[in-house]
Amino acid sequence: MNKRQTLSFIVRFQLLHEFWNYAGIIEANEFATTTNFHRLNAKLLLSIAILLLIVIGSSADQLPIFVDVTEEAGINFKHTTGKTEHRHVIETMGSGAVFFDYDNDGDIDLYAVNSGYVPGTTNLPPLGNVLYRNDGNGHFTDVTAVSGTGDTGYGMAAAAADYDNDGDQDLYVANFGEDVLYRNNGDGTFTDVTQSAGIHNDLWGIAVLFLDFDIDGDLDIFVVNYLVYDTSMPPVTFKGLIGYGHPRNYEGTPDTLYRNNGDGTFTDISEQAGIINPIEGRGMGGVVCDYDNDGLPDIYVTNDTCRNFLYHNDGDGTFTDESLFTGTGYDESGTPEGSMGADCGDYNKDGWLDILLTSTEKTTLYKNDQNSAFIEETASAGLIQPTLPFVGYSPLFLDYDNDSNLDIFMANGHPQDIIEKLTDQETYAQRDQLFRNNGDGTYTEVSAISGEYFSQAFVGRATAAGDYDNDGDTDIFIVNSNQKAILLRNEGGNRNNWIRIKLVGTQSNRDGIGARVRVTADGDTQIAEVKSGSSYASCSDKRLLFGLGQHKKVDRIEIRWPSGIIQQIENISGNQTITITEKR
């Protein structure tokens, strides 16, 4: 049996297994002993099974699946919250991860942020973050000690980018407490330059975004901050039980914008830039996107139980919150959601970036109406009912099957660990979800046929996407709260054609962050922007992977660099990675 036949068999077996599981007939690993199974008519069961095999027999070969390869990849990261009887709200937030090529060898490496023990609650040695070097053979090696990146703060988020334009990736870590900026020395080690660089964010940082907001050729830093919280605050009770406090129990905090001075230092310009709103600001996530196609990076911030912010870049060093005018502050009923993570992408391929966010209520999809406003398309896209039972933390736009349409992955998990004692309708651990883009503006959930992983429940928090094995399809790394992290390898997504693009700026920032890339193959056009920081507390691979479907070559690639330079190349073969350097 060849690899393709084996994969087809696995998919078909998974479909049958998930049929029983989702129908409530059996629980995982209890196929032979479940009472309900024996109550069913055997002939009816056999007929259903045969029908399923017939229906999926011709289509199974077209379905990629995700396989848990965490152990064989050498990753043994377990997130720790330092859970206490007090139930400090910081314990439930989880932490993020970064896919980035820190050693410039062409393979993306992995940085996992740990929270650790709650400050002041134990004398145990602190727990730090972990850097895994990609060995290029499907395996990772822990290089935390030699690299000097094992920050032991109570970690939340991280993002990577070349802020000093020296050709290697630097790293920003957001904590509950002082943040950390690591400069990459280019020899496999990093130096903590937080103080010398002028970084002094001691608020509760929960997301990090790199961007060149003033288009001066170097990268600035935007930090999303959450709540005012102190571990001396009294515990919160629900029906007599101590639980994690509702965000409305605490004051919000302002976000922070650091301008890169071009000499290795930064200046906090949050107030003069107009991005301070502590009353409504209970930030949980954010993403940078040029939503109005004016060539300037805008910032979308998700807030927990408050309206979200859409900061329009005015081009003069200031931003204006246009969330109310663009329809992105509240959901379609005018309600502020308990928003979590966010991502952006052109899901309907109209040349304008749309916004995706998760929340305690449902997933929300905002379609860009091409007139500086958005329309909520969650219902018409088929995303309301499948996401209502879950608390979504970490959304990702990704083309997992390389058919040129952006699909959706989301990590789910409830923030309240006593929720099952408060209600019989919700659970703390939840399964994650995968939605396939049908190409007509709608989505279909395909979790049940996309791998055994999707039948398991975790307390999902952060996700980062990237092709760690360079085989032409997108893999996913998930950080779960107080549980093991999981690396999912995409099996079969590369059966469709693809092209990966890495940008190198010369006039623009070296990473090309903010560059708009347009790929056309036989009349099918896609766009994407290079970004650093999205989803929840995380940062995905900055290389852009475009699925090409059945097209084996690209007719044209057009790059609009942040500098304003427009660059085109034509007639490029698919199924390869190309590096494009900005013309001088």
Side-chain angles (χ1 to χ4, degrees), residues 110-279:
L110 178 62
Y111 189 72
V113 180
N114 207 349
S115 296
Y117 303 117
V118 175
T121 62
T122 181
N123 292 321
L124 292 173
L127 299 175
N129 305 336
V130 178
L131 177 61
Y132 289 101
R133 185 191 65 222
N134 190 329
D135 298 330
N137 57 2
H139 188 272
F140 291 82
T141 298
D142 185 340
V143 294
T144 311
V146 67
S147 68
T149 55
D151 179 52
T152 57
Y154 200 85
M156 290 289 158
D162 185 4
Y163 80 85
D164 51 2
N165 285 334
D166 65 351
D168 45 41
Q169 296 293 297
D170 310 298
L171 189 64
Y172 188 105
V173 180
N175 292 319
F176 172 69
E178 291 284 351
D179 293 350
V180 176
L181 177 64
Y182 289 111
R183 186 188 67 224
N184 191 327
N185 300 319
D187 59 359
T189 69
F190 291 75
T191 299
D192 182 344
V193 295
T194 311
Q195 292 188 355
S196 61
I199 301 295
H200 49 79
N201 187 53
D202 59 356
L203 302 175
W204 183 353
I206 205 164
V208 182
L209 312 174
F210 280 96
L211 73 161
D212 184 6
F213 83 92
D214 50 4
I215 314 298
D216 64 353
D218 48 36
L219 291 172
D220 314 294
I221 303 172
F222 185 87
V223 183
V224 178
N225 296 311
Y226 190 33
L227 304 173
V228 175
Y229 185 78
D230 187 279
T231 55
S232 65
M233 292 180 174
V236 178
T237 59
F238 303 85
K239 297 182 179 180
L241 300 173
I242 297 177
Y244 296 118
H246 190 277
R248 285 287 185 174
N249 291 350
Y250 314 100
E251 296 179 8
T253 58
D255 299 323
T256 304
L257 176 62
Y258 288 108
R259 184 188 64 216
N260 191 326
N261 299 321
D263 59 0
T265 67
F266 292 83
T267 300
D268 184 345
I269 61 165
S270 309
E271 187 169 358
Q272 65 192 72
I275 56 91
I276 286 184
N277 188 345
I279 295 177

Side-chain angles (χ1 to χ4, degrees), residues 100-118:
F100 73 128
D101 185 5
Y102 85 92
D103 53 1
N104 283 333
D105 64 353
D107 302 307
I108 55 172
D109 310 296
L110 178 62
Y111 189 72
V113 180
N114 207 349
S115 296
Y117 303 117
V118 175

Side-chain angles (χ1 to χ4, degrees), residues 3-4 7 64-65 399-403 467 469-475 489-498 545 547 549 575:
K3 182 177 181 181
R4 183 184 180 90
L7 185 59
I65 63 170
D399 184 3
Y400 81 97
D401 53 1
N402 284 350
D403 67 350
D467 184 8
D469 51 1
N470 282 337
D471 66 348
D473 48 31
T474 303
D475 312 299
R489 184 179 65 213
N490 188 328
E491 287 284 358
N494 57 6
R495 283 177 289 173
N496 276 325
N497 299 302
W498 54 275
L545 181 62
N575 303 315

Side-chain angles (χ1 to χ4, degrees), residues 512-523:
I513 290 175
R516 173 75 60 91
V517 178
R518 185 182 303 271
V519 171
T520 301
D522 196 21

Side-chain angles (χ1 to χ4, degrees), residues 174-492:
N175 292 319
F176 172 69
E178 291 284 351
D179 293 350
V180 176
L181 177 64
Y182 289 111
R183 186 188 67 224
N184 191 327
N185 300 319
D187 59 359
T189 69
F190 291 75
T191 299
D192 182 344
V193 295
T194 311
Q195 292 188 355
S196 61
I199 301 295
H200 49 79
N201 187 53
D202 59 356
L203 302 175
W204 183 353
I206 205 164
V208 182
L209 312 174
F210 280 96
L211 73 161
D212 184 6
F213 83 92
D214 50 4
I215 314 298
D216 64 353
D218 48 36
L219 291 172
D220 314 294
I221 303 172
F222 185 87
V223 183
V224 178
N225 296 311
Y226 190 33
L227 304 173
V228 175
Y229 185 78
D230 187 279
T231 55
S232 65
M233 292 180 174
V236 178
T237 59
F238 303 85
K239 297 182 179 180
L241 300 173
I242 297 177
Y244 296 118
H246 190 277
R248 285 287 185 174
N249 291 350
Y250 314 100
E251 296 179 8
T253 58
D255 299 323
T256 304
L257 176 62
Y258 288 108
R259 184 188 64 216
N260 191 326
N261 299 321
D263 59 0
T265 67
F266 292 83
T267 300
D268 184 345
I269 61 165
S270 309
E271 187 169 358
Q272 65 192 72
I275 56 91
I276 286 184
N277 188 345
I279 295 177
E280 294 182 284
R282 291 176 173 84
M284 282 284 284
V287 65
V288 175
C289 62
D290 178 11
Y291 76 91
D292 55 356
N293 285 0
D294 66 353
L296 298 171
D298 311 297
I299 306 172
Y300 187 68
V301 178
T302 56
N303 290 303
D304 197 355
T305 71
C306 298
R307 70 177 175 89
N308 300 324
F309 304 146
L310 180 55
Y311 289 118
H312 175 262
N313 191 329
D314 298 328
D316 58 1
T318 67
F319 291 81
T320 300
D321 180 10
E322 299 285 0
S323 58
L324 296 179
F325 301 101
T326 59
T328 55
Y330 303 93
D331 68 9
E332 60 184 357
S333 65
T335 303
E337 299 178 284
S339 300
M340 304 296 191
D343 202 0
C344 67
D346 183 14
Y347 84 96
N348 56 355
K349 295 199 289 192
D350 63 356
W352 297 74
L353 292 174
D354 312 295
I355 295 175
L356 175 72
L357 65 95
T358 50
S359 71
T360 54
E361 289 80 17
K362 60 176 172 56
T363 292
T364 299
L365 178 63
Y366 288 117
K367 182 182 74 175
N368 195 320
D369 76 351
Q370 307 179 26
N371 192 30
S372 297
F374 291 80
I375 301 171
E376 185 178 333
E377 294 287 341
T378 314
S380 60
L383 291 172
I384 285 186
Q385 292 303 321
T387 61
L388 275 177
F390 303 96
V391 176
Y393 258 80
S394 195
L396 284 174
F397 272 130
L398 74 166
D399 184 3
Y400 81 97
D401 53 1
N402 284 350
D403 67 350
S404 84
N405 297 306
L406 287 180
D407 312 298
I408 295 173
F409 175 90
M410 58 188 69
N412 300 317
H414 206 284
Q416 184 60 264
D417 71 338
I418 60 169
I419 190 63
E420 293 165 39
K421 297 179 180 179
L422 301 177
T423 175
D424 58 3
Q425 298 177 346
E426 298 180 81
T427 61
Y428 185 45
Q430 301 176 355
R431 64 178 178 86
D432 295 343
Q433 293 176 287
L434 181 67
F435 293 88
R436 185 179 187 274
N437 189 327
N438 299 317
D440 59 2
T442 67
Y443 284 87
T444 298
E445 184 174 0
V446 292
S447 311
I449 56 174
S450 297
E452 181 183 358
Y453 170 80
F454 291 95
S455 66
Q456 304 172 59
F458 297 95
V459 186
R461 291 297 183 258
T463 55
D467 184 8
Y468 82 91
D469 51 1
N470 282 337
D471 66 348
D473 48 31
T474 303
D475 312 299
I476 303 172
F477 184 72
I478 305 107
V479 180
N480 300 303
S481 179
N482 218 37
Q483 296 174 319
K484 67 175 184 177
I486 294 174
L487 177 64
L488 295 179
R489 184 179 65 213
N490 188 328
E491 287 284 358

